[in-house]
């Protein structure tokens, strides 16, 4: 293809030839018409090229625009997902915290009564399904009222927290001790008959007494404990009433001892 | 244009839009069953304000928990603010959160990320 300047040069040469019309060549009118047609075609071609270029540019812009919009949408979706995930983990943490608050006793950090009642229901269903047994021990701090009355409620709270720690340390990993109310603690001994429960309860009682003695606390903190084994098809309330009666007998027989509701003879503190 | 006044429920925030003052406020949790129904009037209001009022617009947020579709709606509204800002309209946003809940402040930062207009995030004591 000839360059633009060559084309211009060619045009000028033809125009010069046509101007020098004195040679009277008979081909001249046809040649003149042919040249005009050529010029018209040339202008048409230029226009077409310009229009076509415009369209191509517009299409290209449109494509880039789509890519841009697509990328913006993707970024927006990624951001929504990220923020949404963070909200979800925030809610999950809140849920965990609420769960903890609703199942823990604030002062001692032990599970609360609500939590242990649910555990007892679970335990009963398991025994009903798989057999086996379990026992509970109801422990009460001896002469706790005197601590509150003579040394104040802050001292009473400290005794409760300390006792809770001692009990927690002395039970097995799968036993559960809850603050039952006031100065009472209920301990669940899963998969455990009353003979083993008695041994475990005695260990708890000794640890509490020995540790407070080691700390030089006066008076020494001691526990009275009533234990009982679950009887098939009875209600939680019936079992707890029996443990409470055994605790009452432990108090009656001088405190700082464990009494079993399921044995006629009363075990004594060694 | 009328003002918007959407009452707070347990799952939707209180939304107030004051045409005269050029302020739009959202406060509470946002877990609407149908987020389009809740936010479309808000989007329409903002769009009309930006088109017709020719005055500054301010967004005041006091939001706690948002579900995914509410996050999206809020991002759309912030995008409208951003576009208006780029065209020279004076817009601003402020997000207030409880100082005890720092994570809400961090989330507000995420929303702010792509905004070039004035966007304050302030902790309430």
């Amino acid at each position: 293809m000839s360059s633009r300047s060559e084309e211009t040069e060619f045009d000028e040469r033809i125009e010069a030839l046509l101007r020098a019309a004195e040679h009277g060549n008979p081909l001249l009118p046809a040649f003149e018409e042919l040249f005009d047609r050529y010029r018209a075609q040339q202008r048409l071609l230029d226009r077409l090229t310009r229009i076509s270029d415009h369209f191509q540019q517009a299409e290209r812009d449109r494509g880039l625009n789509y890519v841009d919009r697509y990328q913006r949408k993707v970024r927006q979706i990624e951001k929504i997902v990220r923020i949404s995930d963070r909200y979800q983990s925030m809610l999950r943490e809140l849920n965990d915290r609420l769960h903890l608050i609703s199942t823990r006793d604030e002062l001692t950090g032990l599970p609360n009564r609500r939590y242990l009642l649910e555990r007892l229901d679970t335990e009963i269903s398991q025994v009903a399904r798989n057999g086996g047994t379990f026992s509970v021990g109801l422990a009460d701090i001896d002469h706790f009222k005197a601590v509150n009355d003579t040394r104040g409620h802050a001292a009473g709270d400290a005794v409760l927290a300390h006792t809770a720690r001692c009990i927690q340390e002395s039970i097995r990993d799968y036993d559960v001790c809850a603050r039952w109310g006031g100065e009472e603690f209920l301990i669940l001994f899963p998969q455990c008959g009353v003979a083993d429960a008695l041994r475990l309860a005695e260990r708890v009682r000794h640890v509490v007494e020995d540790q407070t003695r080691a700390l030089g606390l006066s008076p020494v903190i001691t526990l009275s404990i009533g234990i009982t084994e679950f009887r098939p098809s009875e209600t939680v309330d019936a079992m707890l009433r029996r443990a409470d009666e055994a605790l009452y007998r432990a108090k009656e027989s001088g405190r700082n001892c464990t009494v079993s509701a399921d044995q006629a003879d009363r075990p004594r503190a060694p | 244009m009328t003002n918007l006044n959407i009452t707070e429920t347990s799952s939707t925030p209180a939304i107030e839009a004051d045409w005269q003052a050029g302020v739009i406020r959202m406060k509470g949790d946002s877990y609407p069953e149908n987020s389009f129904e809740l936010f479309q009037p808000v989007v329409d209001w903002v769009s009309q304000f930006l088109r017709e009022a020719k005055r500054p617009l301010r967004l005041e947020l006091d939001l706690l928990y948002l579900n995914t579709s509410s996050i999206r709606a809020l991002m759309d509204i912030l995008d409208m603010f951003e576009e208006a800002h780029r065209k020279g309209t004076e817009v601003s946003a402020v997000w207030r959160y409880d100082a005890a809940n720092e994570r809400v402040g961090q989330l507000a930062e995420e929303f702010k990320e792509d905004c070039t207009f004035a966007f304050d995030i302030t902790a309430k004591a």
Side-chain angles (χ1 to χ4, degrees), chain A residues 79 82 84 86 91 93, chain B residues 31 65 68 103 106 110:
Chain A
K79 194 170 162 183
R82 197 171 63 235
S84 185
R86 292 184 67 159
L91 283 171
E93 275 172 26
Chain B
Y31 278 83
Y65 295 111
T68 309
R103 299 195 65 172
Q106 290 168 4
E110 292 261 9

Side-chain angles (χ1 to χ4, degrees), chain A residues 11-250:
Chain A
D11 285 4
E12 281 165 358
R13 226 167 61 229
I14 299 294
E15 276 162 8
L17 277 172
L18 287 170
R19 269 196 308 276
E22 67 276 6
H23 37 62
N25 191 322
L27 285 173
L28 187 65
F31 179 65
E32 206 168 10
E33 196 186 331
L34 195 63
F35 185 63
D36 278 348
R37 280 197 197 176
Y38 157 76
R39 293 279 286 263
Q41 288 295 331
Q42 200 61 37
R43 275 197 302 276
L44 195 66
L45 190 65
D46 280 353
R47 237 180 106 206
L48 268 173
T49 310
R50 246 189 346 264
I51 291 170
S52 172
D53 281 356
H54 258 103
F55 268 112
Q56 279 179 27
Q57 186 63 41
E59 272 306 305
R60 188 166 174 266
D61 287 350
R62 204 153 70 110
L64 286 177
N65 198 18
Y66 278 138
V67 170
D68 190 48
R69 266 160 56 192
Y70 169 75
Q71 282 172 345
R72 263 176 48 201
K73 278 286 160 201
V74 168
R75 269 205 309 280
Q76 194 194 38
I77 289 166
E78 282 171 349
K79 194 170 162 183
I80 291 172
V81 169
R82 197 171 63 235
I83 294 178
S84 185
D85 279 356
R86 292 184 67 159
Y87 271 113
Q88 280 184 47
S89 62
M90 193 163 95
L91 283 171
R92 208 184 135 184
E93 275 172 26
L94 180 70
N95 199 31
D96 288 349
R97 207 165 66 238
L98 290 176
H99 177 73
L100 193 73
I101 290 169
S102 68
T103 56
R104 292 273 143 181
D105 171 58
E106 204 182 344
L107 175 64
T108 60
L110 291 177
N112 63 15
R113 188 185 182 107
R114 183 189 294 124
Y115 175 83
L116 194 53
L117 277 171
E118 277 178 22
R119 268 303 303 270
L120 287 172
D121 280 343
T122 312
E123 214 63 35
I124 289 174
S125 326
Q126 268 177 14
V127 166
R129 211 169 51 244
N130 308 324
T133 186
F134 69 93
S135 299
V136 293
L138 188 59
D140 187 275
I141 301 176
D142 294 327
H143 302 296
F144 182 74
K145 191 170 177 299
V147 178
N148 263 347
D149 290 349
T150 58
R151 291 193 285 153
H153 283 282
D157 284 352
V159 165
L160 282 168
H162 170 75
T163 308
R165 269 197 307 279
C166 293
I167 298 175
Q168 193 65 48
E169 280 167 22
S170 58
I171 58 178
R172 301 167 303 177
D173 283 348
Y174 42 90
D175 296 333
V176 184
C177 175
R179 175 144 181 234
W180 199 242
E183 68 272 25
E184 271 186 339
F185 301 90
L186 187 71
I187 311 170
L188 163 68
F189 301 109
Q191 299 297 322
C192 195
V194 76
D196 286 332
L198 180 58
R199 198 170 42 76
L200 293 164
E202 281 293 90
R203 185 168 82 190
V204 168
R205 194 176 63 78
H206 283 299
V207 168
V208 169
E209 184 178 359
D210 294 348
Q211 287 212 7
T212 52
R213 207 183 289 282
L215 282 174
L217 287 185
S218 173
V220 171
I221 301 165
T222 58
L223 293 177
S224 296
I225 309 177
I227 60 163
T228 191
E229 184 177 332
F230 175 69
R231 294 174 190 172
S233 77
E234 75 174 336
T235 63
V236 171
D237 281 349
M239 179 181 61
L240 292 176
R241 241 188 337 268
R242 214 163 47 248
D244 199 40
E245 281 158 18
L247 171 61
Y248 180 77
R249 272 164 45 211

